[in-house]
Amino acid sequence: MTFATLNSDRVRRVVRRLLPIGVLAAGVLAGAGTGTAAFAADATAAGPQCTVDAKLVPTCGVLWGAAAGGFSDVPRDQALKTFEQKTGRTAAIYHTYHKGNELFPTKDEVAMTADPARPRTLMLNWKVAYGSTWAKVAAGAQDARIDREAAYLKANFTKPFFLVLHHEPENDVNPKAGSGMTAKDFAAMYRHTILRLRAAGVTNAVSTIAYMNYEKWNNSPWWGDLYPGDDVIDWIGVDSYLNAQPNGFHSGDFTSLMNRTTGNQKSKYPGFYTWATTKHPGKPVMVAEWGVYDSSAKVNGANKAKTFDTVLKNLAAMPAIKGLVYFETARDQSGHDIRVDDTPQALTAFKRVAADPRFDVKL
């Protein structure tokens, strides 16, 4: 029975109070981690009654999104529409990227949020320190850049949107004291930028941090210093990818994508999902980028299909995940093909994921 079949609001409320027990138990049995009780009622709930609050957190279900056309010359809005057409679902989250003095959202990005037949919100990544350092931003050297963007937003775009500052910072950390690019410098940059935007009257930017989820960085002594503080973070996000090659590096199911760790370091770093939900309970988790590639010498369509087939059952055991954004490209920096339709079998399996009603969230 789904909530859509119930006619009584009172019955719906009773069912939702009872649901956490079973869902939370499923999460514990799956070893997904702790700290998920606040979200347990929403793990498998779905349907047109699901909406979002002021911070874009769904009342139930999961926001579906995509960043399509990566590392190509295809306009991002066109690539997203193609992705939506072939997968059968509108992306509630449209993810794009900006740097430095670029003002955002662009007219084309705004237009993607104004389609009444296909409502979307934006996830905009901004490298505010482009051409500078995190430390200089924190010290105020880019305040004019921040203020200019704040004025632009207030004049041109007042809808809620996800704002990511410098996604995957781990790759750019220089732990040497005085480098201006230490993990603490990143946290200071993040705090300064968000607080300055808020002070300037920007109220629609939903602050979202996006980590890289790579074991080398997760186990580094400085990784914990990246977090800028719960007061300036609305969503905790991660970019993570799976290899569909059987027994290949980073192969596994969707749970491993979210909670991978090195065995001998497990007590030090328990996996991203477990870390996020135990250290920052109550914060919604965003899979800000995810994708599946196949590193096999000869690509077998069944490999990706089997990997995609783990998503829904694993997702049900991780109820803090409230957003899922696929990153699609024919060739990333490492040459990986992350398209969902590189084989017919892969596309069929991915469409099963996209069709799931838990993604029926109304913006």
Side-chain angles (χ1 to χ4, degrees):
M1 182 184 297
T2 66
F3 291 144
T5 66
L6 301 176
N7 296 318
S8 166
D9 288 339
R10 182 179 179 184
V11 174
R12 275 196 292 269
R13 289 194 296 270
V14 171
V15 172
R16 290 190 67 180
R17 283 198 299 269
L18 293 175
L19 184 58
I21 299 173
V23 175
L24 182 58
V28 172
L29 289 173
T34 57
T36 61
F39 296 102
D42 302 334
T44 57
Q49 79 282 358
C50 299
T51 58
V52 296
D53 65 14
K55 294 295 185 181
L56 296 173
V57 181
T59 57
C60 54
V62 178
L63 287 170
W64 177 264
F71 305 104
S72 76
D73 296 328
V74 179
R76 285 298 181 95
D77 54 347
Q78 179 183 326
L80 183 72
K81 290 177 180 179
T82 299
F83 180 85
E84 292 173 337
Q85 183 178 27
K86 69 186 178 184
T87 59
R89 179 178 288 276
T90 296
I93 300 174
Y94 171 33
H95 192 181
T96 62
Y97 304 79
H98 295 281
K99 60 187 179 183
N101 288 322
E102 294 176 10
L103 292 174
F104 56 84
T106 65
K107 289 183 178 180
D108 289 341
E109 290 165 351
V110 172
M112 292 289 277
T113 72
D115 184 345
R118 295 178 177 271
R120 308 177 184 90
T121 189
L122 299 174
M123 178 182 290
L124 302 173
N125 183 78
W126 186 24
K127 290 193 173 183
V128 63
Y130 184 76
S132 181
T133 66
W134 295 330
K136 288 182 179 179
V137 173
Q142 294 296 339
D143 282 357
R145 176 180 287 178
I146 297 169
D147 294 346
R148 182 168 172 258
E149 175 60 30
Y152 178 85
L153 283 168
K154 290 190 292 181
N156 296 280
F157 193 72
T158 57
K159 296 177 181 178
F161 72 98
F162 296 103
L163 176 62
V164 180
L165 298 183
H166 202 118
H167 74 308
E168 302 180 4
E170 296 96 322
N171 245 356
D172 296 313
V173 168
N174 180 346
K176 183 178 179 180
S179 68
M181 296 294 285
T182 67
K184 290 184 178 179
D185 290 331
F186 172 81
M189 174 277 296
Y190 211 114
R191 290 191 60 82
H192 180 80
T193 302
I194 294 300
L195 292 175
R196 191 168 184 88
L197 286 172
R198 291 176 179 175
V202 175
T203 60
N204 58 324
V206 179
S207 177
T208 307
I209 191 168
Y211 290 93
M212 193 173 184
N213 202 23
Y214 192 76
E215 295 91 330
K216 175 182 177 181
W217 305 133
N218 296 341
N219 289 319
S220 69
W222 47 257
W223 190 83
D225 293 333
L226 289 167
Y227 193 72
D230 281 348
D231 59 325
V232 293
I233 295 297
D234 298 315
W235 286 62
I236 297 180
V238 65
D239 298 353
S240 195
Y241 293 84
L242 277 175
N243 183 1
Q245 178 189 16
N247 301 314
F249 179 66
H250 278 171
S251 64
D253 59 8
F254 186 78
T255 296
S256 71
L257 176 141
M258 289 302 299
N259 233 15
R260 66 169 63 113
T261 187
T262 49
N264 61 349
Q265 294 286 345
K266 193 169 184 179
S267 61
K268 180 178 180 182
Y269 180 78
F272 186 85
Y273 184 83
T274 301
W275 169 81
T277 55
T278 55
K279 295 295 185 180
H280 307 283
K283 293 288 184 185
V285 173
M286 171 72 73
V287 189
E289 287 183 16
W290 75 284
V292 179
Y293 58 91
D294 186 352
S295 287
S296 302
K298 184 177 180 181
V299 173
N300 181 346
N303 291 345
K304 261 193 187 182
K306 289 178 181 178
T307 304
F308 286 142
D309 283 341
T310 70
V311 174
L312 296 178
K313 61 182 179 181
N314 289 176
L315 189 60
M318 293 182 282
I321 296 177
K322 311 307 289 178
L324 188 64
V325 182
Y326 198 88
F327 183 91
E328 188 182 57
T329 178
R331 185 179 178 85
D332 70 1
Q333 305 101 313
S334 301
H336 297 143
D337 187 341
I338 313 179
R339 291 175 297 174
V340 299
D341 61 339
D342 60 337
T343 68
Q345 299 99 314
L347 179 59
T348 297
F350 189 82
K351 289 175 73 173
R352 285 196 293 269
V353 179
D356 192 87
R358 80 190 69 193
F359 303 116
D360 295 342
V361 180
K362 183 179 180 180
L363 292 173

